[in-house]
Amino acid sequence: MTPPAWLGYGWLEPHFIGWMLQGAALTAWLALLVCMLATLLGVLLAAGHEQRWRSVRLAVRTLLSLHRNTPLMVQLLLWYFGVAGLLPEAAMLWLNAPHEVTLAGWTLAWPSFEFVAALVALSLYSAAFVAEEIRAGIRSVALGQRAAALALGMTPRQVFLHIVLPQALRVVRRPLLGQYLGVIKNTSLTMAIGVAELSYSSRQVESETLLTFQAFAVATLLYLLLVLGAQLAGGRVRPTLGEGR
Amino acid sequence: MKLKLTLALLLAATSTSALADRLDDIKKAGVLRVAAFDSNPPFGFLDAQSRQISGLDVDVARHIAGKIGVKLELVPTNPANRIPLLVSGKADLIAANFTVTPDRAKQVDFSLPYFASGQQFISRKGTLATPAQLAGLRVGADKGTTQEITLREKYPATKVVSYDDTPLAFAALRNGNVTAITQDGSKLAALLANAPDKDKYEIAPFTLTREFQAIGLPKGEARLVKVVNEVLLGLEKNGEAKKIYDHWFGPGTKAPLPRDFRIGDKA
């Protein structure tokens, strides 16, 4: 069946669809790793910010501010082209050479340097936002709650784990999910440093076939599937106290 | 009646201007307007000292204007604006490292080629000598360029990593992220000329493709094309073409590139 004229000439060839799916798989994998790293880092940063020590608070504040107030694109370029260039030449060449890493019986391929740079930049950037959201959640729990729990004889640790955290999680669940969906979309910027994710593959298909509409339409569709899938999965996770009514 | 007369006059006026020849227009105006790059050394760039656009393309354009006997006026342009400037009549010629392609030939006419280049590579000294060595290498290319596509189609075993522009690809090469980068030979020579650590790198001694650069002219201006071609052939005959080339690409320059094409060679 010939497609209508407004779709352009010809439809995507099978091997281009293959590229797009490979790109989508890389996007999903990168986003997953970034979400996990960002959550871990974000919790640590949020905890650091709630510390009594001024120097720790100041350090965390600086880190958060650096990542929240500068464009992600610039951070990506800084890590990939900038920081990498500062390393000694031997270290750079070793990092970029293909190795195999054996970990507990599993042989893993050494990731390409652009993947590592993307992972670092995206994780730090997302962690800053995750940290602020977790902080907002913790702050949203009324101080009276802590006072009451302490008066009942709970230790500060118990107060945090059993009183503050469950309530905070309920508050931050939705904004945090939004943050994770944002991570999936932000991975498209890593195209600038040569990570062959979904935007990159759509750009390649476009430049080789000149099927502009088709290439970007398929990319849009695949992004939509990824984000909707993540949304659905995220919607199933309920913190202990359940949805607020 | 009066209206009819005006209309007839108007019609006559438009038809004569349509018949007018661009070469006559240029002579009458006393100015040849040439679209040239202002930031693509050594083809066309703003010279820091003279604050004028200069370069290889400009030198060729100056000879054309001189032969017609008019003043040269340079219209600064970039890759995207070249054809629109010419088609809209804001420039008479394009002399801006303008590669001959069948697609472009639908919109503009081309003179004889006066420069040829091809897809070449920069790598660390001694790492790339033959095209066969490309297999298995990570090679940086510019996004959306013909070089990227050629490499992917003809060398499937090469891992192509695409960047937004050549300086970024070169940064990736210097960082060791890729083993080589690919672009047009003349562009690579210019890029390498400005690198602080250029001694570590070299242009690999082979060319994958051949591309020809020519003067772009408005469609259907046969007399203008003829004059431009005569000038170009004349430049080759009296040795001026070689002089211009050596001034920008000769052995003593910052970006030496051997001259392997002569005006009038079979394109």
Side-chain angles (χ1 to χ4, degrees):
Chain A
M1 199 184 83
T2 43
W6 56 268
L7 279 178
Y9 302 98
W11 190 242
L12 290 169
E13 294 171 43
H15 88 274
F16 291 137
I17 294 280
W19 279 4
M20 300 290 275
L21 291 179
Q22 268 176 32
L26 188 63
T27 292
W29 174 231
L30 181 62
L32 185 71
L33 288 180
V34 168
C35 284
M36 287 180 352
L37 272 175
T39 310
L40 201 72
L41 263 170
V43 170
L44 286 177
L45 284 171
H49 201 285
E50 301 300 305
Q51 286 297 323
R52 261 180 302 156
W53 300 293
R54 200 172 204 181
S55 50
V56 175
R57 275 212 314 269
L58 198 71
V60 171
R61 230 354 333 142
T62 313
L63 204 67
L64 291 188
S65 165
L66 259 177
H67 287 98
R68 278 161 50 89
N69 300 331
T70 55
L72 176 57
M73 177 65 102
V74 178
Q75 291 172 25
L76 281 168
L77 296 176
L78 181 71
W79 278 101
Y80 184 64
F81 292 112
V83 176
L86 294 179
L87 296 173
E89 198 166 311
M92 248 156 45
L93 293 178
W94 187 82
L95 275 174
N96 282 295
H99 316 277
E100 279 184 345
V101 188
T102 315
L103 230 161
W106 289 72
T107 311
L108 302 168
W110 187 255
S112 65
F113 190 73
E114 56 260 15
F115 187 82
V116 177
L119 193 61
V120 171
L122 268 171
S123 298
L124 284 172
Y125 179 83
S126 312
F129 286 90
V130 168
E132 290 287 27
E133 267 156 26
I134 291 178
R135 269 189 65 219
I138 293 172
R139 288 288 169 93
S140 75
V141 179
L143 279 175
Q145 297 258 344
R146 298 171 206 230
L150 285 170
L152 282 174
M154 292 175 98
T155 63
R157 194 184 138 85
Q158 283 174 323
V159 173
F160 184 75
L161 282 179
H162 298 297
I163 308 293
V164 179
L165 198 60
Q167 298 187 66
L169 281 181
R170 200 181 68 188
V171 174
V172 298
R173 195 176 77 93
R174 282 179 182 279
L176 214 50
L177 181 58
Q179 191 60 47
Y180 293 147
L181 302 184
V183 167
I184 300 181
K185 293 184 275 180
N186 280 342
T187 55
S188 64
L189 287 179
T190 62
M191 165 167 96
I193 61 171
V195 177
E197 42 69 64
L198 183 49
S199 304
Y200 182 101
S201 39
S202 63
R203 184 76 185 72
Q204 268 176 4
V205 170
E206 196 273 334
S207 69
E208 294 210 7
T209 59
L210 300 180
L211 298 174
T212 314
F213 174 77
Q214 289 91 325
F216 296 135
V218 170
T220 308
L221 198 72
L222 288 173
Y223 271 117
L224 201 63
L225 286 177
L226 283 176
V227 174
L228 287 179
Q231 209 169 7
L232 218 66
R236 295 191 168 269
V237 181
R238 294 274 159 106
T240 41
L241 275 190
E243 188 74 21
R245 273 175 284 271
Chain B
M1 189 62 206
K2 213 172 185 180
L3 186 72
K4 254 189 194 164
L5 194 71
T6 333
L7 271 177
L9 273 173
L10 256 174
L11 216 71
T14 47
S15 59
T16 44
S17 73
L19 280 174
D21 193 281
R22 184 65 77 95
L23 184 61
D24 293 334
D25 291 348
I26 293 166
K27 280 181 177 161
K28 210 163 98 191
V31 178
L32 178 72
R33 294 164 307 162
V34 176
F37 280 145
D38 57 0
S39 62
N40 187 9
F43 293 97
F45 62 98
L46 213 54
D47 188 83
Q49 275 169 2
S50 64
R51 293 175 179 268
Q52 299 289 315
I53 295 182
S54 50
L56 186 143
D57 289 337
V58 177
D59 289 350
V60 173
R62 186 157 290 124
H63 280 282
I64 297 172
K67 184 75 182 238
I68 300 178
V70 292
K71 267 197 342 203
L72 176 69
E73 183 188 317
L74 294 167
V75 185
T77 187
N78 55 40
N81 282 348
R82 289 178 294 195
I83 296 178
L85 275 177
L86 188 74
V87 171
S88 67
K90 292 190 179 68
D92 303 311
L93 303 177
I94 301 172
N97 195 18
F98 197 49
T99 304
V100 181
T101 70
D103 270 347
R104 286 176 180 164
K106 287 176 198 155
Q107 291 174 285
V108 304
D109 282 343
F110 286 104
S111 72
L112 290 170
Y114 61 93
F115 191 88
S117 63
Q119 177 168 6
Q120 289 185 269
F121 296 82
I122 293 182
S123 66
R124 272 165 200 271
K125 269 192 179 146
T127 50
L128 190 60
T130 64
Q133 286 177 301
L134 286 171
L137 287 190
R138 281 166 58 86
V139 176
D142 289 11
K143 256 174 226 161
T145 53
T146 48
Q147 286 96 3
E148 182 195 19
I149 296 170
T150 307
L151 206 55
R152 211 175 284 123
E153 282 174 355
K154 293 192 181 158
Y155 296 87
T158 305
K159 166 100 174 99
V160 183
V161 187
S162 305
Y163 299 98
D164 286 334
D165 56 33
T166 323
L168 283 183
F170 190 53
L173 173 67
R174 294 173 70 199
N175 286 354
N177 296 323
V178 290
T179 317
I181 60 171
T182 185
Q183 239 300 350
D184 191 73
S186 55
K187 287 204 185 99
L188 291 180
L191 185 73
L192 206 50
N194 295 320
D197 51 353
K198 60 179 162 192
D199 298 339
K200 283 190 207 160
Y201 306 96
E202 65 184 1
I203 296 183
F206 60 87
T207 309
L208 284 195
T209 56
R210 202 84 169 117
E211 281 176 352
F212 298 96
Q213 276 87 42
I215 301 280
L217 303 107
K219 269 259 171 240
E221 300 287 347
R223 283 180 61 215
L224 189 57
V225 174
K226 194 160 167 266
V227 168
V228 169
N229 282 345
E230 275 167 15
V231 175
L232 290 175
L233 287 172
L235 288 180
E236 187 63 61
K237 205 175 275 173
N238 66 19
E240 195 63 37
K242 186 180 183 311
K243 243 191 251 171
I244 294 174
Y245 185 92
D246 283 344
H247 183 248
W248 299 106
F249 286 108
T253 58
K254 284 204 299 181
L257 197 68
R259 185 167 193 242
D260 58 355
F261 174 77
R262 263 148 206 76
I263 300 170
D265 281 4
K266 189 92 184 96

